[in-house]
């Protein structure tokens, strides 16, 4: 019905969480933190929105949480094939949520840019290598704009998107 019932963000680099929030652990993903706020039940009409295509862990959590639809803005090249998990197990296939994504155009590219930039900032080599294979243009844009993205982090997301829109349009061609 358009009502936000829970929110979450990645808290893996923060201190330990409290209550229904995980923090300070590698499994403190945004999706997990949002889903942990739902009481046990069935949520076939609920939508989980995610910046990136959910990983194996988050996809399984969505399935166990009985959420009916997952929408994501950007593909995660590390998670290629996650959508085929229901083909491996009949029980999982019966519980698997519908998936909708990625978002076409600059919004989807911006979501991928944010996640990729964060990985570059923390020195990841695995994620950039995956983008080198799947989207070298976005990897180049992220590498050229680390300082710019850092300065835009304090801005509203709309301002950061507007600032990067011309380059996002060019890399998506």
């Amino acid at each position: 019905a358009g009502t936000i019932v829970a929110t979450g963000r990645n808290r893996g680099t923060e201190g330990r969480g409290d209550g229904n929030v995980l923090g300070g652990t590698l499994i403190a993903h945004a999706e997990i933190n949002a889903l942990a706020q739902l009481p046990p039940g069935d949520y076939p009409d609920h939508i989980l929105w995610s910046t990136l295509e959910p990983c194996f862990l988050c996809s399984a959590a969505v399935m166990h949480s009985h959420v009916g639809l997952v929408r994501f803005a950007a593909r995660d090249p590390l998670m290629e094939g996650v959508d085929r998990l229901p083909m491996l197990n009949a029980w999982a296939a019966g519980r698997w949520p519908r998936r909708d994504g990625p978002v076409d155009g600059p919004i989807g590219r911006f979501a991928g840019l944010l996640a990729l930039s964060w990985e570059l900032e923390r020195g990841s080599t695995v994620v950039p290598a995956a983008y080198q294979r799947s989207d070298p243009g976005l990897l180049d844009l992220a590498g050229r704009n680390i300082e710019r993205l850092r300065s835009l982090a304090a801005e509203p997301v709309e301002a950061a998107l507007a600032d990067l829109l011309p380059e996002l349009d060019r890399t998506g061609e």
Side-chain angles (χ1 to χ4, degrees), residues 40-56:
D42 287 318
Y43 300 97
D45 298 325
H46 284 57
I47 302 168
L48 175 74
W49 286 89
S50 182
T51 304
L52 281 181
E53 180 177 14
C55 69
F56 295 107

Side-chain angles (χ1 to χ4, degrees), residues 10-49:
N10 288 336
R11 296 173 181 261
T13 59
E14 298 178 12
R16 289 285 180 193
D18 56 3
N20 289 333
V21 176
L22 285 175
T25 172
L26 294 176
I27 63 170
H29 295 190
E31 298 90 337
I32 300 295
N33 277 314
L35 293 168
Q37 296 170 50
L38 296 176
D42 287 318
Y43 300 97
D45 298 325
H46 284 57
I47 302 168
L48 175 74
W49 286 89

